């Protein structure tokens, strides 16, 4: 039952993902959550996030922001990024993920989603069979509703860690 929330991969940070390997593996699009994935919750883009998108675009990746936030918040972050975006995406519903892939002109199999939450970001990508990477949140400072979900995520991650340990065990 919990497997639907398991990420395909994990990373300590968005900024530690091996994007060159993703490109070599045939990925051509990356969909990003914003808050606590690229910057602290509610923050504007910073030099690090702006340089990341510039590097990805130079590598040949298409990108899209997928956020449950309102348009004002997404536009504020996107001001210096200038990428595709979808606001009020309704994650974990599939339509936002599909729309993001469509706006990049890519099939789901060529796209990877990067986010920090299991019950919205990862679950939504898994529902479509979209590759995904769950990153650790940038900051522990979050809205109360997310803090509550983080407690439940710990239970899922314990199960996930046992599963991956067993799956990767050499026989």
């Amino acid at each position: 039952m919990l497997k639907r929330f398991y990420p395909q991969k994990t990373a300590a940070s968005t900024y530690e993902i091996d994007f060159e390997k993703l490109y070599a593996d045939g990925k051509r699009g990356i969909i990003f959550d914003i808050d606590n994935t690229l910057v602290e919750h509610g923050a504007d883009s910073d030099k690090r996030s702006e340089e990341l998108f510039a590097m990805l675009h130079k590598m040949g990746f298409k990108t899209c922001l997928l956020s449950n936030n309102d348009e004002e918040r997404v536009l504020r972050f996107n001001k210096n990024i200038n990428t595709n975006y979808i606001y009020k995406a309704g994650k974990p519903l599939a339509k936002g993920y599909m729309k993001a892939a469509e706006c990049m002109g890519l099939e789901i199999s060529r796209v990877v989603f990067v986010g920090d939450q299991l019950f919205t970001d990862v679950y939504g990508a898994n529902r479509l069979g979209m590759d995904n990477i769950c990153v650790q949140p940038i900051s522990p400072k979050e809205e109360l509703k997310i803090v509550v979900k983080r407690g439940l995520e710990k239970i899922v991650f314990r199960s996930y860690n046992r599963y991956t340990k067993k799956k990767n065990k050499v026989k």
Side-chain angles (χ1 to χ4, degrees), residues 55 65 72 88 92 104 108 168:
M55 177 198 74
L65 304 171
E72 182 276 325
K88 291 188 179 181
M104 293 186 291
I108 297 291
N168 296 326

Side-chain angles (χ1 to χ4, degrees), residues 17-32 52-64 82-84 104 106 110-112 114 133:
I17 294 171
D18 187 348
F19 292 104
E20 289 176 357
K21 180 167 180 359
L22 290 175
Y23 196 86
D25 290 344
K27 298 301 176 192
R28 294 298 180 264
I30 306 173
I31 303 170
F32 289 98
L52 173 68
F53 278 84
M55 177 198 74
L56 293 172
H57 294 154
K58 186 175 181 182
M59 287 177 67
F61 278 109
K62 295 179 181 181
T63 59
C64 186
N82 295 316
T83 192
N84 299 302
M104 293 186 291
L106 297 169
R110 308 271 287 175
V111 177
V112 64
V114 179
I133 303 170

Side-chain angles (χ1 to χ4, degrees), residues 104-156:
M104 293 186 291
L106 297 169
E107 296 176 12
I108 297 291
S109 63
R110 308 271 287 175
V111 177
V112 64
F113 183 90
V114 179
D116 69 300
Q117 293 187 50
L118 294 180
F119 300 126
T120 52
D121 300 332
V122 170
Y123 179 51
N126 282 341
R127 291 176 76 186
L128 281 176
M130 180 181 285
D131 288 348
N132 60 80
I133 303 170
C134 186
V135 297
Q136 292 178 11
I138 290 175
S139 170
K141 184 181 172 188
E142 298 182 291
E143 295 175 335
L144 181 60
K145 66 182 180 182
I146 296 173
V147 171
V148 171
K149 286 195 280 186
R150 293 289 185 206
L152 297 171
E153 284 183 349
K154 287 179 183 178
I155 296 167
V156 176

Side-chain angles (χ1 to χ4, degrees), residues 39-52:
V39 293
E40 288 186 8
H41 186 81
D44 292 345
S45 65
D46 56 14
K47 184 177 180 178
R48 184 169 70 160
S49 59
E50 292 164 13
E51 287 175 352
L52 173 68

Side-chain angles (χ1 to χ4, degrees), residues 89-103:
K91 293 183 292 184
L93 298 176
K95 69 178 181 176
Y97 297 83
M98 291 186 307
K99 187 174 178 183
E102 287 172 16
C103 81

